[in-house]
Amino acid sequence: MAAQPSLQRSLLTLLHGLLSRTGATRAVLLWYEDGHAGQALEAHGPGAGGQQPSGHQNGSAPDALLRDAAEEAIDQGIAVGSDAGGDAGEWLNRAQQALAQASNQSVLTVPLPGGADPMGAVLLFWQQADTGPCDPGIPVISGWLAGVAPLLAAQRRAERPWHWHARQAWRQRRQRWRQDTPRLQRHLWAAGGLALLALAIVPLPDRIGGQARIEGAQQRVLSAPTDGFIKATHVHPGDRVKAGQVLADLAEQDLKLERDRWASQVAQQDNSYAAAMTRADRAEAALSLSRLEEAQAQLALIDEQLKRSQLKAPFDGIVIQGDLSQSIGAPVKQGDTLMTVASTRRFRVVIDIDEGDIARLQAGQTGSIALSALPWDTLDLKVVRITALGVARDGRNVFEVQADFNQPLPADIRPGLTGQAKVMVGWRPLLWSWARPLVNRLRFLWWAW
């Protein structure tokens, strides 16, 4: 048997050997898989029709009777025949008798040992007139099968597919783990496994977040109307102001002197124009008129600059930038930014979203923001605009996403507050949401490589 190239050839050799040694006319081997009868192999003695696989009847007993007879012997753990029981008294042999009656032959069923679970059973058939299993005897036949069972088991195991070996290794490891691990630790591992499974399959809200800041929906930059010096300041960043309130004064001495100069020019050109008209000197009158108009324009410009020497709030709001208290007397140039005022009537949220997440955001999605100043309260918001240009910030590329509030705001909300905002983009298992940035990064590195 050991020299046979396959398990089936070994089994056929075994069955023919039993036929020749016992004088039986038919031998059937039933394999067991996971405690149930599976494949069957059948051989006949000389003159009985040769070899046939399981499923061919040719007047033989039905397969159900074969399985019942095999299970009867395996359950009792001893060879059982239709004419006699085992070596130690009478054993149940009803299935053997039913099989013998159906086949009109004497039957002997011998379990094929295989450790804790038998590998199957061998059924031998004799004609009623033969001596039956008395020669060479039931113990001898059982001994033969017990001797070849380890070899058959090894061949069977060698022909198993790879997934069967993997499953067996897993079962052995699990059994050792159950034996060596305390019950409390097993329960903790089981709870951890269930929690991990829940994280992997239970869909939860998927959110994309980033640093956020509150800005006024309307902001106005107040700049120096002309070259000059800072004379006084009346507010500081963070102060609330009313529309028309004076915020700062610029020194106007130079502008007043300039106004006096152009005012005298206006008077002088007006007299020249009157004298030319008296003399009927049209050329001189035209020249004086043009000079008069130029002086009047310059005077109007100076008057406007004098009016703008006081920086006034354009609307009700809050000063968010421009502390001039430490710059009294400092020179400024025309166009220099002095203060920034933000409206307090309406606010917007600007969220910095990483470029790896920006593709999943769309206008109309909702979310919430938790401010550093109010960590226990969250405010609902809605995305209204996504900027098309990225900005480098803190060593990474981000996109600014603008959102509006969906609820009335507390009185202590003001521009400049920062916090963390999250926008809901769908439903996904939490484990995937955590692993997605790493997976995307690995995909990108793989593609780049």
Side-chain angles (χ1 to χ4, degrees):
M1 292 176 54
Q4 298 300 327
S6 65
L7 175 62
Q8 185 166 1
R9 295 292 298 272
S10 298
L11 296 177
L12 290 174
T13 302
L14 171 63
L15 295 181
H16 284 293
L18 290 174
L19 290 174
S20 63
R21 293 188 180 188
T22 61
T25 59
R26 179 186 173 204
V28 179
L29 186 143
L30 285 180
W31 277 119
Y32 267 62
E33 293 283 351
D34 298 327
H36 299 284
Q39 182 183 2
L41 192 64
E42 183 174 345
H44 295 265
Q51 307 168 12
Q52 297 179 20
S54 171
H56 289 241
Q57 299 293 330
N58 287 345
S60 62
D63 290 346
L65 293 178
L66 291 174
R67 289 195 299 268
D68 293 343
E71 292 175 358
E72 185 178 65
I74 290 175
D75 291 342
Q76 298 178 83
I78 193 171
V80 181
S82 60
D83 297 332
D87 295 337
E90 293 295 331
W91 293 75
L92 293 176
N93 60 351
R94 294 177 182 176
Q96 313 299 322
Q97 293 176 357
L99 179 59
Q101 184 178 2
S103 61
N104 197 24
Q105 291 178 315
S106 298
V107 180
L108 174 66
T109 303
V110 184
L112 190 61
D117 297 323
M119 291 188 297
V122 176
L123 294 88
L124 299 174
F125 295 82
W126 289 266
Q127 296 296 333
Q128 294 286 354
D130 294 344
T131 56
C134 298
D135 186 15
I138 296 176
V140 177
I141 298 175
S142 299
W144 288 345
L145 294 179
V148 300
L151 177 60
L152 297 177
Q155 290 181 331
R156 187 185 192 187
R157 189 163 45 251
E159 294 185 4
R160 294 283 193 181
W162 65 269
H163 54 81
W164 183 90
H165 291 281
R167 186 169 62 252
Q168 291 299 113
W170 165 252
R171 289 178 178 176
Q172 294 175 3
R173 183 179 295 274
R174 184 177 61 179
Q175 185 176 4
R176 288 197 302 268
W177 180 75
R178 287 181 177 179
Q179 294 174 353
D180 300 339
T181 307
R183 176 179 296 181
L184 177 60
Q185 188 174 352
R186 293 202 306 268
H187 290 171
L188 292 177
W189 276 102
L194 291 176
L196 184 62
L197 181 62
L199 293 177
I201 63 176
V202 177
L204 295 174
D206 187 16
R207 296 183 175 92
I208 293 177
Q211 292 291 328
R213 61 187 181 276
I214 294 180
E215 296 180 352
Q218 182 181 10
Q219 293 186 173
R220 183 71 57 84
V221 175
L222 304 181
S223 57
T226 183
D227 296 346
F229 300 89
I230 298 175
K231 179 179 180 181
T233 181
H234 306 293
V235 294
H236 299 82
D239 292 345
R240 295 182 180 271
V241 296
K242 297 292 184 178
Q245 179 180 341
V246 177
L247 308 182
D249 295 322
L250 299 180
E252 68 276 5
Q253 291 84 352
D254 294 342
L255 289 175
K256 288 182 177 181
L257 293 176
E258 187 74 8
R259 186 184 187 285
D260 293 341
R261 184 172 73 87
W262 285 107
S264 64
Q265 286 288 334
V266 168
Q268 181 180 353
Q269 296 301 329
D270 187 34
N271 293 332
S272 298
Y273 175 74
M277 292 297 292
T278 303
R279 297 192 303 270
D281 188 351
R282 295 184 177 181
E284 182 67 22
L287 180 61
S288 298
L289 180 60
S290 64
R291 290 176 178 175
L292 175 62
E293 291 176 349
E294 177 185 4
Q296 289 175 340
Q298 290 292 338
L299 183 60
L301 176 62
I302 296 300
D303 290 337
E304 184 64 24
Q305 290 178 343
L306 282 173
K307 292 179 182 179
R308 296 175 57 190
S309 63
Q310 286 187 327
L311 301 181
K312 298 181 179 181
F315 43 71
D316 293 347
I318 185 172
V319 179
I320 61 174
Q321 188 178 1
D323 186 5
L324 303 180
S325 61
Q326 304 297 322
S327 302
I328 302 300
V332 294
K333 293 186 175 297
Q334 184 178 8
D336 287 350
T337 299
L338 300 180
M339 289 184 178
T340 302
V341 180
S343 173
T344 55
R345 293 182 178 179
R346 187 164 172 262
F347 297 96
R348 69 177 183 179
V349 180
V350 179
I351 312 170
D352 294 336
I353 300 296
D354 189 87
E355 61 180 349
D357 298 324
I358 193 63
R360 305 171 63 197
L361 280 180
Q362 297 178 0
Q365 292 174 335
T366 59
S368 59
I369 180 174
L371 299 173
S372 301
L374 304 170
W376 302 113
D377 296 329
T378 58
L379 302 174
D380 297 333
L381 51 83
K382 180 179 180 180
V383 176
V384 295
R385 185 179 296 106
I386 301 174
T387 58
L389 184 63
V391 179
R393 187 168 294 154
D394 297 334
R396 61 192 184 100
N397 197 37
V398 299
F399 286 80
E400 292 185 348
V401 176
Q402 298 179 15
D404 287 340
F405 289 103
N406 283 344
Q407 65 181 76
L409 299 180
D412 48 1
I413 296 296
R414 60 181 60 195
L417 293 179
T418 61
Q420 187 75 19
K422 293 184 178 181
V423 180
M424 183 175 175
V425 296
W427 292 79
R428 287 179 179 83
L430 191 59
L431 188 61
W432 166 247
S433 298
W434 292 342
R436 182 180 51 80
L438 177 60
V439 173
N440 291 343
R441 182 62 178 172
L442 292 177
R443 286 177 179 173
F444 179 78
L445 292 177
W446 174 260
W447 180 87
W449 180 78

